[in-house]
Amino acid sequence: MNFIDLKSQYNIIKDIVDSSLQNVLDHGAYIMGPEINQLESRLAEYASTKYALTCSSGTDALLLPLMAWGIGPGDAVFTSPITFIATAEVIHLLGATAVFVDIDSDTFNINPDKLNESIKQVNSEGKLTPKAIIPVDLFGLTADYDAINKIAESHNLYVLEDAAQSFGAEYKGNKSCSLAHCAATSFYPAKPLGCYGDGGAVFTDDEEMYKLLVSFRVHGQGEDRYNNDRIGINGRMDTMQAAILLAKLTIFDDEIKKRNEVAAKYSDLLNSKIITPIVPKGYLSVWAQYSVLAENSVQRERIMSHLKLNGIPSVIYYPKPLHLQKAFKNLNYKYGDFPVSESVSERIFSLPMHPYLKDEEIQLICDKIIEIL
């Protein structure tokens, strides 16, 4: 049994993928070829934003907007401690400071009330200047952007939607990647929409922001590649990845539907047996992961070991919150600072999730969890 199943997906779109890659090989424009513009148009249309800018990874997609906003030393950027390190890593790469905020116990996304308290505290201390918020759309479910954007407006802060796991999701009728000043997503192969390597994209409705992103993506270029207006990065997506993503977009909506069907079957079978994910009214998740909560770390280990014995993979996202990582020890956080995040990290684990999971596989997974419980 596979945790994700890219082979089944490839078999469905094999002819389109092979033909698309052959087209790239034929025209030979491996960097910034015509498929890049085609993909950016499709992505912007899909997310209902004016602009989409492809880039080399989800990490660069997070980095580029912060560069465009001039985030740097002395600035505070607020984010969640339950996420992949890239979310906070980009803040520190620019010399700014990540300020972590505890999560909501139901959605595992940043808690707006705690966020507002944290911003007020940083302002009152006067050591850092609050500049931006990076909410994380964890496991395919968007954060509460009505509340977050209202808080950001009251404090005059930018909001960068970390949609690395949520491209295709919906929040109150609006698509992920259209919910903030700017959004970043990842096309890492394991994502709901993934390429066959690294890739990412940035979304915005702001024309001036878009122009800056275009420049920063290619070494801060000005009128051409040999005129540089600012210090940038080499953040381009290669043309082959764009071709693959264009092929995958042809079945993406169907895959989202199937992911939601898989999640519904899991929840029906596991509800009342273990704590299953909550999707608030008005939200649509793309189920980047299907994550459940054990009672404690001991029970989690028992369940995961039993699954492994029966040939069923499971993964922990994320076993150690960012505020306890060695990389951020200079921030002087300690265990107990974010109790919800810490409790979740000690109890959470994810089950196989992809559009091609068979009913009998779902039944087996759930039977084995119930059996050990």
Side-chain angles (χ1 to χ4, degrees), residues 86-107:
T87 309
E89 182 178 44
V90 294
I91 299 167
H92 283 251
L93 282 172
L94 295 175
T97 300
V99 178
F100 294 116
V101 179
D102 213 351
I103 59 173
D104 178 85
S105 58
D106 288 338
T107 65

Side-chain angles (χ1 to χ4, degrees), residues 337-362:
D337 285 343
F338 304 110
V340 179
S341 297
E342 292 156 7
S343 174
V344 166
S345 71
E346 292 166 2
R347 300 157 59 207
I348 200 162
F349 63 102
S350 299
L351 304 177
M353 167 53 76
H354 56 81
Y356 308 104
L357 205 60
K358 298 180 178 66
D359 286 352
E360 55 267 31
E361 291 176 316
I362 299 170

Side-chain angles (χ1 to χ4, degrees), residues 215 220-230:
S215 174
Q221 70 179 17
E223 294 179 0
D224 58 58
R225 62 188 295 187
Y226 296 114
N227 281 285
N228 305 93
D229 294 344
R230 52 191 59 84

Side-chain angles (χ1 to χ4, degrees), residues 6 30-31 36 39 43 53-61 84 86 89 164 185-191 193-201 234-245 248:
L6 296 177
Y30 300 116
I31 300 295
I36 294 292
L39 177 62
L43 293 173
L53 180 104
T54 57
C55 58
S56 53
S57 68
T59 304
D60 282 347
F84 186 59
E89 182 178 44
T185 198
S186 168
F187 299 124
Y188 183 78
K191 304 299 183 186
L193 180 65
C195 53
Y196 292 162
D198 275 316
N234 179 11
R236 299 167 297 199
M237 173 185 283
D238 76 71
T239 310
M240 284 191 170
Q241 303 305 335
I244 290 161
L245 289 166
K248 287 196 175 190

